Amino acid sequence: MDEALLRSLTPSVLAVLVRRGADFAAAEDAVQDALVEALRVWPADPPRDAKGWLVTVAWRKFLDQARSDAARRRREDRLDEEPSPGPAPSVDDTLQLYFLCAHPSLTPSSAVALTLRAVGGLTTRQIARAYLVPEATMAQRISRAKRTVSGVRFDRPGDVATVLRVLYLVFNEGYSGDVDLAAEAIRLTRQLAVSTDHPEVAGLLALMLLHHARRAARTAPDGSLVPLAEQDRRRWDTASIAEGVRILQSALARDRLGEYQAQAAIAALHADAPTAEETDWVQIVEWYDELARLTDSPVVRLNRAVAVGEADGPRAGLAALAALDDSLPRHTAVAAYLHERDGDLATAARLYAEAARKAPNLAERDHLTRQAARLNTSR
């Protein structure tokens, strides 16, 4: 059973049901039922047209649900519109579905959460981690969003800013999390850049390309994380870096700075340095100042503290860090790094061990555990 195939077809099947008039919540339930049926049936009897099979089964599931609801008996009239089991049109509906989920009836945060769950395939836990909120809070937010759009006609798609936020979070989860979604986020952002004349779309695409260019160097053969300063820069994708820088320069020339352009500028400065020691940390701090002005994000200020520590020394970085809430994700890891650079190895080892216990994924936990062990051995 090719579960990756099922995953890739889900957005298109969901979009077909929505276009045919199904409300979002019912359509999502029907598609999930069809996927369960596919897992049961396909191993013994694989279809010739996977998408057509899923559309047909999902539509039948939706009609079955509609018939059981007296308030929706009018949907029975659509039974004769059931799509034939023949080949379905080969159309990529994913980006359209992103816009549909960013519906004006939802707040931007709810629209992002709903899209990440229904289209991006992220779990509620992953989305909650991206938003820095408890999993139960995010589950309630997604449930409210589904109730809000239940029965709503998706004829007024959402705005570009909300779709960009979704693509950004999907990319970040694919780049650093448990689900590989980064390449898909880049593909969709490329599509959006072709159809939308918006400098922040270009900024996001540049940011993705610059980060993705380093992906091959981010892990060792055993799967362990390799920090940016220790990466083999010969393994970076120079073509992607060149494309990202070119796109970024074009966007910045329009003098409409946004958060994705600022982040891409920081990534470009890292990519431009031949070695870690030659990184222009002073400029990076300046860009973090711009980014903090644009977003007022505590995560941005956390990253800025690291940059200040590199540009002005670890004690300056620790002073910047002291102004931030120590419950922020990765706050303890940053403190450990800055204390190590300041020569306080005992404190750094203790903080690395503490950060490992809080790590959001196994690879990061193992990396922080090794850092603590290294310092404990060297003392």
Side-chain angles (χ1 to χ4, degrees):
M1 166 61 62
D2 190 346
E3 294 188 20
L5 173 62
L6 286 175
R7 186 184 195 85
S8 67
L9 290 174
T10 298
S12 292
V13 177
L14 184 55
V16 169
L17 267 66
V18 170
R19 284 205 305 268
R20 294 183 63 81
D23 67 74
F24 189 89
E28 186 185 15
D29 289 342
V31 172
Q32 292 302 317
D33 288 344
L35 294 176
V36 171
E37 186 72 6
L39 289 170
R40 185 182 68 83
V41 172
W42 285 12
D45 186 20
R48 286 179 294 180
D49 174 27
K51 179 180 175 182
W53 189 98
L54 286 171
V55 168
T56 299
V57 173
W59 185 251
R60 286 174 178 162
K61 298 286 186 183
F62 164 71
L63 290 176
D64 287 343
Q65 293 166 1
R67 281 195 297 268
S68 68
D69 188 344
R72 299 177 183 176
R73 289 189 181 279
R74 64 183 181 277
R75 297 190 189 277
E76 293 181 356
D77 296 336
R78 300 178 185 172
L79 183 60
D80 58 354
E81 297 179 14
E82 178 185 324
S84 67
S90 180
V91 178
D92 185 353
D93 299 297
T94 309
L95 188 57
Q96 179 192 15
L97 199 57
Y98 271 61
F99 273 96
L100 293 177
C101 288
H103 196 270
S105 63
L106 295 172
T107 64
S109 60
S110 294
V112 171
L114 178 63
T115 312
L116 289 172
R117 182 71 186 92
V119 189
L122 274 65
T123 66
T124 303
R125 176 176 298 178
Q126 290 167 330
I127 302 169
R129 189 171 69 225
Y131 268 91
L132 310 181
V133 299
E135 184 176 353
T137 300
M138 183 53 64
Q140 292 174 355
R141 184 179 300 177
I142 294 172
S143 295
R144 285 196 300 270
K146 287 183 178 181
R147 288 196 299 271
T148 298
V149 300
S150 181
V152 170
R153 294 289 298 186
F154 285 83
D155 54 358
R156 293 188 299 143
D159 65 358
V160 172
T162 302
V163 173
L164 287 178
R165 181 63 179 164
V166 176
L167 289 168
Y168 174 74
L169 290 174
V170 169
F171 176 82
N172 280 346
E173 190 59 48
Y175 186 69
S176 61
D178 303 319
V179 183
D180 187 0
L181 297 170
E184 173 69 356
I186 291 174
R187 184 183 70 83
L188 293 173
T189 306
R190 284 190 187 279
Q191 288 186 10
L192 189 58
V194 169
S195 61
T196 306
D197 183 25
H198 192 300
E200 274 292 79
V201 176
L204 180 58
L205 179 57
L207 174 63
M208 290 178 174
L209 290 169
L210 289 163
H211 276 299
H212 206 59
R214 304 199 300 257
R215 189 165 189 176
R218 289 186 73 248
T219 54
D222 62 359
S224 60
L225 289 180
V226 179
L228 177 61
E230 300 172 17
Q231 289 177 16
D232 181 354
R233 299 183 179 219
R234 295 170 299 180
R235 299 186 65 196
W236 289 2
D237 183 345
T238 55
S240 290
I241 291 173
E243 182 185 6
V245 169
R246 184 174 66 253
I247 292 170
L248 173 63
Q249 289 174 337
S250 177
L252 291 174
R254 300 177 65 176
D255 198 24
R256 290 168 56 192
L257 184 64
E259 63 174 298
Y260 301 120
Q261 295 170 69
Q263 288 188 62
I266 293 169
L269 286 167
H270 283 297
D272 188 54
T275 65
E277 293 73 24
E278 296 173 86
T279 303
D280 190 342
W281 286 106
V282 173
Q283 269 206 74
I284 288 176
V285 171
E286 291 173 355
W287 275 111
Y288 270 122
D289 288 338
E290 286 285 349
L291 189 55
R293 180 183 62 79
L294 290 165
T295 66
D296 195 30
S297 164
V299 175
V300 168
R301 297 188 186 279
L302 181 69
N303 291 331
R304 179 186 177 278
V306 176
V308 168
E310 298 290 353
D312 300 328
R315 294 195 179 182
L318 286 167
L321 187 66
L324 302 176
D325 185 346
D326 61 8
S327 67
L328 277 172
R330 298 186 173 89
H331 183 286
T332 308
V334 170
Y337 173 74
L338 291 172
H339 276 290
E340 180 184 357
R341 289 202 61 232
D342 194 38
D344 186 352
L345 302 188
T347 299
R350 175 178 59 80
L351 290 172
Y352 275 130
E354 181 182 339
R357 293 191 292 271
K358 301 176 181 176
N361 56 64
L362 181 61
E364 191 168 336
R365 187 192 71 188
D366 289 347
H367 170 72
L368 292 167
T369 300
R370 282 194 296 272
Q371 296 295 88
R374 173 179 57 81
L375 294 185
N376 284 324
T377 301
S378 65
R379 288 190 291 127

